[in-house]
Amino acid sequence: MGEKPKLRVTLLTGRTIEQGVGKEHGKSSKEYVESVSVCYMDPEDMKKLGVKDKTNIQVSTAFGSVVVKAQKSLRAPHPSVIFIPYGPWANVIVDPETHGIGMPSFKGIPATVEPAPEKPVLGLKELLELQFRKG
Amino acid sequence: MPVVKAVTCPVCGSLCDDIELTIENGRIVKVKNGCAMCEAKFLGYCCEHRVLKPMIRKDGELVKTSLKEAIRRAAEILAEANYPVLYGWSNTSCEATSVGIELAEEVGGVIDNTSVVCHGPSILSIQDVGIPSCTLGQIRHRADLIVYWGSNPWSAHPRHIERYTSFSEGRFEKSAWRGYVTKIKALVGRKKIQSAIKRLVLKKPSQISTHLEPTFVSPIMRKGRKLIVIDVRRTKTAEMADFFVQVEPNKDYELLQAFRALIRDQELAVDKVAGVPVEYLEDVADAMVSCDFGALFFGLGLTMSGAKLRNIDAALSLVRDLNMRTKFIIMPMRGHFNVTGANTVSTWQTGYPYAVDFSLGYPRYNPGETSVVDVLLRKESDAALIVASDPVSNFPHKAAEHLAENPLIVIDPHMNVTAQMADVLIPSAFVGIEAAGTAYRMDHVPIPLKKVVNPPRGILPDEEILRRILAEIRKIKKKQEAA
Ligand code: SF4
């Protein structure tokens, strides 16, 4: 097998209405987990990588790496820009550096995306256990 | 069935105060006027993820305990700590925040609110540059140009457009809703025609351009309120706009400075700025200059990317420049319903809006040093109290890690991610549903929150829990002094 395809992108994180609604249902609800363990991608980028809608991808930055579900963005075109809603999955890979003003960088982080059909999207509990060994 | 009118929605910074709730057997069964987030909160708040009993961690497991015991343990942790952080506050009442600050002073900790990870840079910049602002009511009645920059109200503040800006029916400015409906109809019509052509005439769809740019009467000519959206993505809000400027990620600063040049009638010696043709920017700048009363709302797209607070400096300066030609105001789109209140109360009591450090016995403010993420990244704190917030799921992993290592006290109605890491977990009543209080809308107008139903038995509001912890800490300290 050859090199797995990889795509260099810019990662944005932010709010979505699904996340907003899911969060009111409670942070351990299925709605919440499903609304924040996804990554919205430009359909053209998905084609380039050979990933289908609702399949797993691995997003990596200099700060970490996480498996989420790829989802076709309804807001395309935005080539090379990916979007993950705020939440525990996004936090694994955002930039903690606050540049002396107290705020980490949640938007505009260089990242790479690769298909990860064989890797599972971790549930909230597993994700937290892996990260914090508490809870 | 009793119907409670004029309820304030405790979800986002728009604080819509026209919600009508139908109550049956002490439960909310119907929500009128609210958006999807509002409905989800009022109907779903009492869900299975609610914490109903105080809990304490014993041998690695959270076990139920009495309220008294939980408060005693929380007070012990805080009284023993050298440098605790007290964080959250944007989803509770001003009254609770006020007690929280007293508590921070008592224990010599750092008290910070969620604005540090959202509009913190905006606040820093406002302190440097100043801000021309007004109330949302003014905007509703008078603004004829609305700009949303790096903010997507459709998702984050769903009724903002309908209540305060483009689609609101003001006294002097009418709603632009009808124009929008016509536009959408035309757009759908065009799409249908295009796909029909695709199907019938051209069998190879890839050959025709699928980029559908609505071509309407030039928006400058159109009468009524206009909407400009500037964002990195074509959001739902962008689709409603008369002008949509799709800025390249992290290029907002360049774009803002380009607008500043354009509204001073200076020529730009390039074809494109931040990926947008200068001709288009000239049209947008014209629309800004030719309005009677403009309002620029900016969101986290501006504060969180690229130059962060320097973006806001540039945005504030742009609005200052615009005020030489017309009337223009600017306002941050605050997220949590009372994050503005947390800043306001903190400013009254300490002189500073967030990131206040009491470790020397008097308040010090130096974001970047005394802000919670930095304290955590330097691993300096030795205990934490989190009120109505979920930093473990909102902070970058590295910062959250140290928080989870600290003895952690959580006061929250929900079993959120941070609560799962807690060493002491005290459930609280929902402010605005089960407890009354005051909150500040994003335009700094204080609005009362109602109590519409009773909390579950034995569950107290944040304010009361904090008061009890504070009293307990004072008791412990007195004992120590006596000994
Ligand atoms: S816009 Fe915000 S305040 Fe208004 S109903 Fe929706 S969530 Fe509540």
Side-chain angles (χ1 to χ4, degrees), chain B residues 9 11-16 19 33-35 37-38 157-160:
Chain B
C9 166
V11 179
C12 83
S14 310
L15 280 184
C16 304
I19 312 295
N33 294 343
C35 67
M37 286 180 348
C38 166
H157 303 80
R159 292 181 72 214
H160 195 266

Side-chain angles (χ1 to χ4, degrees), chain A:
Chain A
M1 256 172 65
E3 271 276 299
K4 262 210 248 154
K6 253 190 196 177
L7 199 66
R8 283 182 183 285
V9 292
T10 305
L11 165 71
L12 307 177
T13 68
R15 235 179 269 287
T16 64
I17 184 115
E18 292 82 13
Q19 172 250 353
V21 171
K23 140 174 101 71
E24 299 307 336
H25 281 290
K27 289 268 171 98
S28 29
S29 69
K30 207 167 130 249
E31 285 92 343
Y32 177 72
V33 170
E34 280 179 2
S35 69
V36 298
S37 58
V38 297
C39 171
Y40 295 92
M41 292 183 74
D42 189 295
E44 288 300 314
D45 287 348
M46 291 173 71
K47 242 188 244 161
K48 265 187 233 161
L49 269 183
V51 296
K52 294 217 173 69
D53 205 20
K54 309 246 157 55
T55 58
N56 295 359
I57 53 170
Q58 180 150 22
V59 185
S60 314
T61 66
F63 318 99
S65 177
V66 72
V67 180
V68 287
K69 263 197 179 13
Q71 207 161 74
K72 226 190 253 172
S73 170
L74 298 172
R75 313 255 76 94
H78 48 79
S80 303
V81 173
I82 62 167
F83 181 88
I84 302 182
Y86 292 145
W89 284 263
N91 289 327
V92 179
I93 52 176
V94 297
D95 181 358
E97 173 58 51
T98 73
H99 303 283
I101 58 164
M103 195 180 70
S105 302
F106 291 104
K107 295 183 196 276
I109 308 154
T112 58
V113 182
E114 54 194 307
E118 73 292 351
K119 292 184 191 160
V121 176
L122 293 184
L124 188 58
K125 209 164 172 335
E126 292 104 333
L127 187 79
L128 295 178
E129 268 168 12
L130 198 72
Q131 287 189 62
F132 302 109
R133 298 168 298 276
K134 187 174 174 186

Side-chain angles (χ1 to χ4, degrees), chain A residues 12 24-25 27-29 75 77 86-88 91 96 98-100 102-108 128 131-132 134-135, chain B residues 41 49 116 232 234-235 239 246 250 300 303-304 308 367-368 371 374 390 393-395 397 404 417 420-421 423:
Chain A
L12 307 177
E24 299 307 336
H25 281 290
K27 289 268 171 98
S28 29
S29 69
R75 313 255 76 94
Y86 292 145
N91 289 327
T98 73
H99 303 283
M103 195 180 70
S105 302
F106 291 104
K107 295 183 196 276
L128 295 178
Q131 287 189 62
F132 302 109
K134 187 174 174 186
Chain B
K41 174 135 190 182
H49 309 291
V116 69
V232 288
R234 179 178 281 274
T235 58
E239 276 167 15
Q246 187 158 12
N250 294 335
L300 300 184
T303 60
M304 279 188 175
K308 290 182 182 172
S371 34
D374 297 277
D390 189 11
S393 74
N394 296 328
F395 281 1
H397 171 60
V417 181
Q420 291 173 28
M421 312 267 147
D423 293 291

Side-chain angles (χ1 to χ4, degrees), chain B residues 383-418:
Chain B
L385 167 70
I386 309 297
V387 179
S389 175
D390 189 11
V392 174
S393 74
N394 296 328
F395 281 1
H397 171 60
K398 273 234 157 63
E401 211 169 47
H402 185 65
L403 194 65
E405 282 165 15
N406 277 170
L408 183 61
I409 306 153
V410 176
I411 303 178
D412 204 287
H414 268 151
M415 193 51 147
N416 61 24
V417 181
T418 309

Side-chain angles (χ1 to χ4, degrees), chain B residues 34-49:
Chain B
C35 67
M37 286 180 348
C38 166
E39 279 192 16
K41 174 135 190 182
F42 278 120
L43 297 177
Y45 75 93
C46 221
C47 63
E48 55 202 294
H49 309 291

Side-chain angles (χ1 to χ4, degrees), chain B residues 42 63 69-70 92 116 128 195 217 237 291 310 314 355 362 377 391 402 405 447:
Chain B
F42 278 120
V63 292
E69 175 62 21
T92 186
V116 69
D128 279 352
S195 67
V217 219
T237 315
C291 76
R310 298 298 167 223
Y362 56 88
L377 287 176
H402 185 65
E405 282 165 15
I447 297 193

